[in-house]
Amino acid sequence: MGTLRWAAGRVGGALVVLWLVATAIFIGVRLIPGDPAEAIMGGPGSQASAEALAAARADYGLDEPLRVQYLMFLGKLLRLDFGTSYALRDPVLGIMGQVLPQTIVLSLLALLLAWVLALVFAAASLRATRVGAVLGNAVEIIAAAVPHFWLGAVLIMVFSSTLGWLPAVDNGTGAGLVLPVLTLALPLAGFLTQLMRDSLSTALASPFSLAARARGDSRLQVFWRHGLRHAALPALGMTGWAFSSLLSGAVVVEAVFARPGLGRALLSAVLSRDIPMVTGIALFSAAIYMVVMALTEGIERALHPAGVDS
C-alpha cells in the first residue's frame, strides 16, 4: 500500500506540474510583443493582408476571449493535440517524434559517461595524496562551472581543428557523437564527483566501514562493497535534475555541433515564434523530467528504503 500511495502521489504531482507548465506557457506566449497571427502567416515579412490575418485568428481561435482560448488550449492538450507548427506546417507531435530520439540518445550517453567519470574520480580520490586531492578538487569545480558553449568550442578547436581526430559537426556517425557527449558530460561529471566524494568520505569513516577494515578488507574492497552505495545515493537523488539539465544543455550543444534534436528545434521555434512547437517541446521536456525523477526516487527507495521513507 505504501508503494501504491507513493505512485499515486507521484502521478498526481506530475499532472499538477504539467498543468502549471501549460498555464505558464499560455500566459508567457501571449505576453510576447507582436501579433500571433503574423507568426502563423510566416512572420512580419510575409506582408499578409488584413483579411488573411483575420482568417488566421478565426482558424486558431485567437479572436475568442482569453478565458475561452485557455479552455480550448487545455482541451487540446488533454487530447495530446499540440497543433501544427507555424514554420514547418507539420503536426507538432510528428516533428517531436522525429527529433526527440536524437536528444534522448545524446542525453542518456552523456549521463552514462558522467556517472562513469564520477565513479572513476571518486575511486581515484581514495589513493590521492594531499596535493592530488587539492588538484582534483580544483578540476572538479572548474569542470562543473564551465559553460557548455565554451567547452564545445574548445573541444572543436582541439580535437577537430588542431588534431583532426573528430568531426566538428554531427555527421550521423558514432564519431560525430563524441564531442557533443563530452561537452554535456564533463560539467555534470564534475558536479557528481563533488557530491560522491563528500559522501564517500563520510561513508568510509562510518562504523560499518571501520568494521570491514578491521576484518581485513582493503580500502578498495570497502569502497566497492560498502562505501559506493552510500556515496552514490546523494548523486542518484540529483540524477533527475541532472537529466533535465542535460536536456536544457542540449539546446546549446545541438546548436554548436549542428546536431538535429529537440533542443535545436526549440531554438528555431523560439526564434520564429512557433508557439505550438514551443508549447509541445516544453511540455514534453517537463513530462520527461517528471518520469526521470520518479524513476530515480524509485531506485533510491529500492537501495535505501528506510532512509527514503524517513
Side-chain angles (χ1 to χ4, degrees):
M1 292 299 294
T3 302
L4 289 178
R5 285 196 300 269
W6 171 81
R10 280 288 164 264
V11 172
L15 292 176
V16 172
V17 169
L18 291 177
W19 169 67
L20 291 174
V21 170
T23 302
I25 294 171
F26 178 84
I27 296 172
V29 297
R30 278 152 183 80
L31 294 177
I32 300 175
D35 188 353
E38 288 186 346
I40 297 172
M41 300 302 295
S46 64
Q47 298 181 347
S49 64
E51 293 78 9
L53 292 175
R57 294 189 192 97
D59 290 340
Y60 285 85
L62 298 175
D63 56 347
E64 299 286 348
L66 196 61
R67 182 184 68 258
V68 176
Q69 292 184 42
Y70 177 65
L71 294 177
M72 292 171 56
F73 172 74
L74 292 181
K76 288 182 178 180
L77 294 183
L78 288 175
R79 302 192 300 271
L80 295 181
D81 180 9
F82 296 100
T84 301
S85 169
Y86 295 165
L88 302 177
R89 305 298 178 184
D90 288 325
V92 170
L93 203 58
I95 298 172
M96 288 194 298
Q98 296 174 3
V99 300
L100 182 62
Q102 304 287 340
T103 301
I104 293 297
V105 168
L106 175 63
S107 300
L108 287 178
L109 289 176
L111 184 62
L112 177 61
L113 179 59
W115 262 97
V116 170
L117 292 175
L119 288 173
V120 171
F121 293 152
S125 67
L126 296 178
R127 298 179 175 274
T129 62
R130 183 178 297 273
V131 175
V134 172
L135 290 176
N137 189 36
V139 170
E140 294 163 12
I141 294 174
I142 293 173
V146 66
H148 288 118
F149 69 88
W150 183 87
L151 180 59
V154 170
L155 292 177
I156 288 174
M157 286 190 296
V158 174
F159 293 102
S160 181
S161 301
T162 303
L163 299 176
W165 291 353
L166 296 167
V169 297
D170 181 79
N171 57 4
T173 65
L177 262 174
V178 174
L179 292 184
V181 169
L182 278 175
T183 303
L184 278 177
L186 289 177
L188 180 58
F191 177 76
L192 292 177
T193 302
Q194 293 180 72
L195 287 178
M196 293 184 65
R197 182 168 44 79
D198 293 340
S199 300
L200 182 61
S201 300
T202 302
L204 292 180
S206 61
F208 64 84
S209 295
L210 297 177
R213 289 297 303 276
R215 291 195 302 266
D217 291 348
S218 67
R219 193 173 179 83
L220 195 57
Q221 287 176 321
V222 173
F223 169 77
W224 288 112
R225 293 178 182 176
H226 305 284
L228 180 60
R229 185 181 70 169
H230 296 271
L233 279 174
L236 183 62
M238 297 298 294
T239 298
W241 168 86
F243 191 77
S244 67
S245 73
L246 292 177
L247 289 178
S248 61
V251 176
V252 176
V253 172
E254 288 173 352
V256 170
F257 293 96
R259 175 179 172 80
L262 205 64
R264 194 176 178 193
L266 177 60
L267 181 61
S268 299
V270 170
L271 293 177
S272 61
R273 293 193 61 198
D274 193 341
I275 294 174
M277 277 296 297
V278 172
T279 302
I281 293 175
L283 286 175
F284 244 70
S285 301
I288 292 172
Y289 171 73
M290 297 301 297
V291 170
V292 173
M293 287 293 292
L295 289 175
T296 53
E297 186 171 341
I299 294 173
E300 281 189 275
R301 290 172 65 90
L303 289 178
H304 195 43
V308 173
D309 293 336
S310 60

Short mmCIF file of all heavy atoms in Angstrom, two decimals, residues 170-198:
data_model
loop_
_atom_site.label_atom_id
_atom_site.label_comp_id
_atom_site.label_asym_id
_atom_site.label_seq_id
_atom_site.Cartn_x
_atom_site.Cartn_y
_atom_site.Cartn_z
N ASP A 170 27.92 17.31 -36.31
CA ASP A 170 27.33 15.98 -36.34
C ASP A 170 27.21 15.50 -37.79
O ASP A 170 26.68 16.21 -38.65
CB ASP A 170 25.94 16.01 -35.70
CG ASP A 170 25.28 14.64 -35.70
OD1 ASP A 170 25.62 13.82 -34.84
OD2 ASP A 170 24.43 14.40 -36.57
N ASN A 171 27.74 14.30 -38.06
CA ASN A 171 27.68 13.74 -39.41
C ASN A 171 26.89 12.43 -39.45
O ASN A 171 26.99 11.67 -40.41
CB ASN A 171 29.10 13.52 -39.96
CG ASN A 171 29.93 12.62 -39.06
OD1 ASN A 171 29.46 12.09 -38.05
ND2 ASN A 171 31.20 12.45 -39.43
N GLY A 172 26.13 12.17 -38.39
CA GLY A 172 25.31 10.98 -38.37
C GLY A 172 26.03 9.70 -37.99
O GLY A 172 25.43 8.62 -38.04
N THR A 173 27.31 9.78 -37.61
CA THR A 173 28.08 8.60 -37.23
C THR A 173 28.39 8.65 -35.74
O THR A 173 28.13 9.64 -35.05
CB THR A 173 29.39 8.54 -38.02
OG1 THR A 173 30.22 9.66 -37.65
CG2 THR A 173 29.12 8.59 -39.53
N GLY A 174 28.97 7.54 -35.24
CA GLY A 174 29.36 7.50 -33.84
C GLY A 174 30.43 8.53 -33.51
O GLY A 174 30.44 9.09 -32.41
N ALA A 175 31.34 8.78 -34.46
CA ALA A 175 32.39 9.78 -34.23
C ALA A 175 31.79 11.17 -34.05
O ALA A 175 32.31 11.98 -33.28
CB ALA A 175 33.38 9.77 -35.39
N GLY A 176 30.69 11.44 -34.76
CA GLY A 176 30.06 12.74 -34.63
C GLY A 176 29.37 12.95 -33.30
O GLY A 176 29.04 14.08 -32.94
N LEU A 177 29.17 11.87 -32.53
CA LEU A 177 28.53 11.97 -31.22
C LEU A 177 29.53 12.26 -30.10
O LEU A 177 29.13 12.70 -29.02
CB LEU A 177 27.79 10.67 -30.89
CG LEU A 177 26.29 10.61 -31.14
CD1 LEU A 177 25.79 9.20 -30.89
CD2 LEU A 177 25.55 11.60 -30.28
N VAL A 178 30.81 11.98 -30.34
CA VAL A 178 31.80 12.02 -29.26
C VAL A 178 31.89 13.41 -28.64
O VAL A 178 31.78 13.58 -27.41
CB VAL A 178 33.18 11.55 -29.77
CG1 VAL A 178 34.23 11.74 -28.67
CG2 VAL A 178 33.11 10.11 -30.21
N LEU A 179 32.11 14.43 -29.45
CA LEU A 179 32.30 15.77 -28.90
C LEU A 179 31.02 16.32 -28.25
O LEU A 179 31.10 16.91 -27.16
CB LEU A 179 32.79 16.73 -29.99
CG LEU A 179 34.22 16.46 -30.50
CD1 LEU A 179 34.63 17.52 -31.51
CD2 LEU A 179 35.20 16.41 -29.34
N PRO A 180 29.84 16.16 -28.85
CA PRO A 180 28.63 16.61 -28.13
C PRO A 180 28.42 15.90 -26.80
O PRO A 180 28.03 16.54 -25.81
CB PRO A 180 27.49 16.28 -29.12
CG PRO A 180 28.13 16.26 -30.46
CD PRO A 180 29.51 15.75 -30.23
N VAL A 181 28.68 14.59 -26.74
CA VAL A 181 28.52 13.86 -25.49
C VAL A 181 29.52 14.35 -24.45
O VAL A 181 29.16 14.56 -23.28
CB VAL A 181 28.67 12.34 -25.73
CG1 VAL A 181 28.77 11.58 -24.41
CG2 VAL A 181 27.48 11.81 -26.53
N LEU A 182 30.76 14.54 -24.85
CA LEU A 182 31.77 15.06 -23.92
C LEU A 182 31.39 16.45 -23.40
O LEU A 182 31.56 16.75 -22.21
CB LEU A 182 33.13 15.12 -24.61
CG LEU A 182 33.95 13.83 -24.66
CD1 LEU A 182 35.21 14.05 -25.50
CD2 LEU A 182 34.32 13.36 -23.27
N THR A 183 30.87 17.29 -24.29
CA THR A 183 30.51 18.65 -23.90
C THR A 183 29.42 18.65 -22.84
O THR A 183 29.44 19.48 -21.91
CB THR A 183 30.04 19.45 -25.13
OG1 THR A 183 31.08 19.44 -26.13
CG2 THR A 183 29.72 20.88 -24.77
N LEU A 184 28.47 17.74 -22.96
CA LEU A 184 27.41 17.65 -21.96
C LEU A 184 27.86 16.93 -20.69
O LEU A 184 27.44 17.28 -19.58
CB LEU A 184 26.20 16.92 -22.55
CG LEU A 184 25.23 17.72 -23.41
CD1 LEU A 184 24.14 16.81 -23.97
CD2 LEU A 184 24.60 18.86 -22.63
N ALA A 185 28.72 15.92 -20.84
CA ALA A 185 29.05 15.04 -19.71
C ALA A 185 30.07 15.65 -18.76
O ALA A 185 29.96 15.45 -17.53
CB ALA A 185 29.57 13.70 -20.23
N LEU A 186 31.06 16.36 -19.24
CA LEU A 186 32.15 16.81 -18.37
C LEU A 186 31.68 17.74 -17.25
O LEU A 186 32.07 17.55 -16.09
CB LEU A 186 33.24 17.47 -19.22
CG LEU A 186 34.06 16.51 -20.09
CD1 LEU A 186 35.07 17.28 -20.94
CD2 LEU A 186 34.77 15.48 -19.23
N PRO A 187 30.86 18.78 -17.52
CA PRO A 187 30.40 19.61 -16.39
C PRO A 187 29.57 18.81 -15.38
O PRO A 187 29.73 19.01 -14.17
CB PRO A 187 29.55 20.69 -17.07
CG PRO A 187 30.06 20.75 -18.47
CD PRO A 187 30.44 19.34 -18.82
N LEU A 188 28.73 17.91 -15.87
CA LEU A 188 27.93 17.11 -14.95
C LEU A 188 28.80 16.16 -14.14
O LEU A 188 28.55 15.93 -12.95
CB LEU A 188 26.88 16.32 -15.74
CG LEU A 188 25.95 15.42 -14.92
CD1 LEU A 188 25.20 16.23 -13.87
CD2 LEU A 188 24.98 14.69 -15.83
N ALA A 189 29.83 15.59 -14.76
CA ALA A 189 30.74 14.69 -14.04
C ALA A 189 31.44 15.43 -12.90
O ALA A 189 31.62 14.87 -11.81
CB ALA A 189 31.77 14.11 -15.01
N GLY A 190 31.85 16.67 -13.13
CA GLY A 190 32.48 17.44 -12.06
C GLY A 190 31.54 17.66 -10.89
O GLY A 190 31.93 17.55 -9.72
N PHE A 191 30.27 17.95 -11.18
CA PHE A 191 29.28 18.16 -10.12
C PHE A 191 29.01 16.87 -9.36
O PHE A 191 28.99 16.86 -8.12
CB PHE A 191 27.99 18.70 -10.74
CG PHE A 191 26.88 18.90 -9.75
CD1 PHE A 191 26.89 19.97 -8.88
CD2 PHE A 191 25.83 18.00 -9.69
CE1 PHE A 191 25.86 20.15 -7.97
CE2 PHE A 191 24.80 18.17 -8.78
CZ PHE A 191 24.82 19.25 -7.92
N LEU A 192 28.80 15.74 -10.07
CA LEU A 192 28.52 14.47 -9.41
C LEU A 192 29.71 13.99 -8.59
O LEU A 192 29.53 13.41 -7.51
CB LEU A 192 28.15 13.41 -10.46
CG LEU A 192 26.82 13.61 -11.19
CD1 LEU A 192 26.63 12.51 -12.24
CD2 LEU A 192 25.66 13.63 -10.23
N THR A 193 30.92 14.23 -9.08
CA THR A 193 32.10 13.81 -8.34
C THR A 193 32.20 14.51 -7.00
O THR A 193 32.55 13.91 -5.98
CB THR A 193 33.37 14.07 -9.17
OG1 THR A 193 33.28 13.38 -10.42
CG2 THR A 193 34.61 13.57 -8.44
N GLN A 194 31.88 15.81 -6.98
CA GLN A 194 31.91 16.54 -5.71
C GLN A 194 30.91 15.96 -4.71
O GLN A 194 31.22 15.79 -3.53
CB GLN A 194 31.61 18.02 -5.96
CG GLN A 194 32.68 18.74 -6.75
CD GLN A 194 32.33 20.20 -6.96
OE1 GLN A 194 32.37 21.00 -6.04
NE2 GLN A 194 31.97 20.55 -8.17
N LEU A 195 29.71 15.63 -5.18
CA LEU A 195 28.72 15.02 -4.30
C LEU A 195 29.19 13.67 -3.78
O LEU A 195 29.09 13.37 -2.58
CB LEU A 195 27.39 14.86 -5.04
CG LEU A 195 26.56 16.10 -5.31
CD1 LEU A 195 25.31 15.73 -6.10
CD2 LEU A 195 26.16 16.78 -4.01
N MET A 196 29.71 12.83 -4.68
CA MET A 196 30.10 11.49 -4.30
C MET A 196 31.32 11.49 -3.40
O MET A 196 31.42 10.68 -2.48
CB MET A 196 30.35 10.65 -5.56
CG MET A 196 29.11 10.37 -6.38
SD MET A 196 29.43 9.28 -7.77
CE MET A 196 29.89 7.79 -6.90
N ARG A 197 32.25 12.39 -3.65
CA ARG A 197 33.48 12.41 -2.85
C ARG A 197 33.19 12.78 -1.40
O ARG A 197 33.71 12.16 -0.47
CB ARG A 197 34.49 13.38 -3.45
CG ARG A 197 35.82 13.43 -2.73
CD ARG A 197 36.85 14.17 -3.53
NE ARG A 197 36.33 15.39 -4.11
CZ ARG A 197 36.16 16.53 -3.43
NH1 ARG A 197 36.48 16.57 -2.15
NH2 ARG A 197 35.70 17.60 -4.04
N ASP A 198 32.33 13.77 -1.19
CA ASP A 198 31.99 14.16 0.18
C ASP A 198 31.23 13.03 0.89
O ASP A 198 31.50 12.72 2.06
CB ASP A 198 31.14 15.43 0.16
CG ASP A 198 31.92 16.63 -0.33
OD1 ASP A 198 33.16 16.57 -0.29
OD2 ASP A 198 31.29 17.62 -0.76
#
